[in-house]
Amino acid sequence: MEYRILGKTGLRISEISLGTWQVGGGWGGQFDEKAAERIITTAIENGVNFLDTADVYDDQQSERAVAGFVKANRDKLIIATKIGRRLSPHVADAYTPEAMEAFVDDALKNTGLEYLDLVQLHCPPTPVYQFDDVFARLEKIKASGRVRHFGVSVEKVEEARMAADYDVVGSVQIIFNMFRQKPAEACFKLLHERNIGIIARVPLASGLLSGKMSADREFDKNDHRAFNRNGEVFDKGETFSGVPLDKGLQAVSELKSVFGQEALYQYALRWILQFPEVSTVIPGASSPEQVLSNLKVCDLPALDDEQMKAVKAVYDAYIGPEVHHLW
């Protein structure tokens, strides 16, 4: 495992980390504490030291599961959680300084930790990035010692650029993968200049870039890939990175001709790590075996220029026209 610095936070984190959206349950599943323990243990035993969770994952059970490991290894593991999505309705006006303070207190109580390493606003509506009073309150909370660092999780590059104007923002979590390439050209340079760490999420485009999906795949009714294809519940960019399934599968077929039939997901993760501005990539896992598969990317050599050009060509032909202008 290699480690990178998360911008001005100074945190040294594993370049392949663990996103815990799926840990122990996932969409619609009953939370399985033992499964969560096996997945997180496997990750930690193989060098992962950065665990990304949120208070809305499995109704706070994922957050608690992650916190249990962090408490037992407080000087070795880093917990990143997210707040804000429990606001109902989830609208800009609901993001008040008082609400953010309450969410931080809830996270501390829920995890049983004396302080949180990284707290991120969880994809707030765009106007929130102009709420100076909210970010001023985050500064006060940080000064209190309850949170070491703050960041944001965003949907759009515009939001990443707006967040970079606040000194308290030490990291930006953004969808970045072979099918969502705009961040590299639209905000990476600015974030790097401001010394803001970049966390790449949804790295496999909801499984599309695993190379194992087919057009006739059926999804559980509680899986967002079944009910959110057009953004019915939340931003459609979270589902297949906003790419229509048929176009995505065509693009995957082309990518397999470049990288082979079996290990596309590893090359998809390796592609993200080609960008030095990226501090870490956080693939999810629903089993220990998936954790180990994701970590195999650590053994891959860097992609060469021809491979990088081939990925760009596939993006330009199939994906860019569908998503580039949207996020």
Side-chain angles (χ1 to χ4, degrees):
M1 178 66 70
E2 299 292 330
Y3 298 84
R4 301 185 181 191
I5 301 300
L6 185 64
K8 60 188 172 185
T9 72
L11 297 172
R12 181 174 175 270
I13 61 177
S14 46
E15 63 180 13
I16 298 289
S17 296
L18 180 65
T20 63
W21 191 356
Q22 299 164 278
V23 166
W27 279 95
Q30 183 72 30
F31 187 80
D32 185 335
E33 193 169 332
K34 293 191 183 224
E37 183 176 341
R38 289 193 297 271
I39 292 167
I40 298 171
T41 297
T42 300
I44 293 169
E45 288 178 345
N46 286 275
V48 170
N49 75 339
F50 183 78
L51 306 171
D52 180 82
T53 186
D55 56 8
V56 292
Y57 294 173
D58 287 299
D59 192 24
Q60 302 177 72
Q61 293 184 87
S62 173
E63 194 177 51
R64 293 189 195 104
V66 169
F69 283 88
V70 173
K71 277 191 279 191
N73 302 272
R74 197 64 187 98
D75 60 336
K76 297 178 182 176
L77 298 181
I78 298 162
I79 183 172
T81 192
K82 296 184 283 294
I83 60 172
R85 288 305 289 264
R86 286 195 290 137
L87 290 167
S88 184
H90 186 244
V91 295
D93 287 346
Y95 276 79
T96 65
E98 294 74 23
M100 299 305 98
E101 186 100 36
F103 280 135
V104 167
D105 288 342
D106 286 349
L108 286 165
K109 191 180 299 181
N110 191 40
T111 60
L113 297 169
E114 293 183 3
Y115 64 89
L116 298 163
D117 297 301
L118 176 65
V119 173
Q120 305 154 96
L121 300 189
H122 199 173
C123 297
T126 304
V128 173
Y129 297 96
Q130 295 178 309
F131 290 1
D132 293 349
D133 57 344
V134 167
F135 289 90
R137 181 61 64 92
L138 301 186
E139 290 275 17
K140 288 184 178 179
I141 295 171
K142 181 180 176 182
S144 76
R146 289 175 290 163
V147 176
R148 293 177 66 193
H149 306 286
F150 277 100
V152 294
S153 181
V154 304
E155 298 287 4
K156 304 174 182 178
V157 295
E158 170 195 8
E159 295 165 348
R161 295 179 66 86
M162 294 168 74
D165 287 337
Y166 294 100
D167 288 340
V168 74
V169 173
S171 67
V172 166
Q173 185 174 144
I174 193 166
I175 297 175
F176 181 59
N177 57 51
M178 286 178 170
F179 287 174
R180 283 283 286 276
Q181 298 190 23
K182 186 175 180 179
E185 72 173 48
C187 68
F188 276 16
K189 183 175 184 290
L190 173 66
L191 296 178
H192 179 67
E193 289 172 349
R194 302 281 175 89
N195 198 18
I196 294 172
I198 297 172
I199 301 168
R201 64 188 179 92
V202 196
L204 299 180
S206 305
L208 256 179
L209 286 166
S210 70
K212 300 174 183 178
M213 198 166 288
S214 61
D216 58 358
R217 167 82 176 269
E218 292 188 8
F219 300 100
D220 185 277
K221 66 179 182 178
N222 293 313
D223 189 317
H224 69 108
R225 293 173 293 185
F227 66 72
N228 193 60
R229 300 265 184 105
N230 298 302
E232 293 89 340
V233 179
F234 45 80
D235 192 288
K236 73 175 184 177
E238 299 281 354
T239 304
F240 296 135
S241 294
V243 177
L245 185 57
D246 59 340
K247 287 289 181 72
L249 291 173
Q250 291 176 51
V252 165
S253 179
E254 294 288 337
L255 289 170
K256 284 183 174 181
S257 70
V258 178
F259 296 108
Q261 295 293 314
E262 297 302 321
L264 177 59
Y265 68 95
Q266 292 176 21
Y267 288 100
L269 295 175
R270 177 65 254 185
W271 180 88
I272 295 170
L273 293 175
Q274 295 283 117
F275 295 82
E277 301 91 344
V278 172
S279 303
T280 187
V281 55
I282 51 170
S286 56
S287 69
E289 291 74 25
Q290 280 191 354
V291 171
L292 294 174
S293 293
N294 292 338
L295 293 178
K296 286 179 182 177
V297 70
C298 298
D299 297 326
L300 283 181
L303 275 59
D304 61 34
D305 288 344
E306 291 305 310
Q307 290 172 317
M308 294 296 287
K309 288 176 183 176
V311 174
K312 184 65 165 60
V314 171
Y315 177 82
D316 290 342
Y318 295 94
I319 307 300
E322 301 287 342
V323 305
H324 201 80
H325 61 291
L326 294 177
W327 293 281

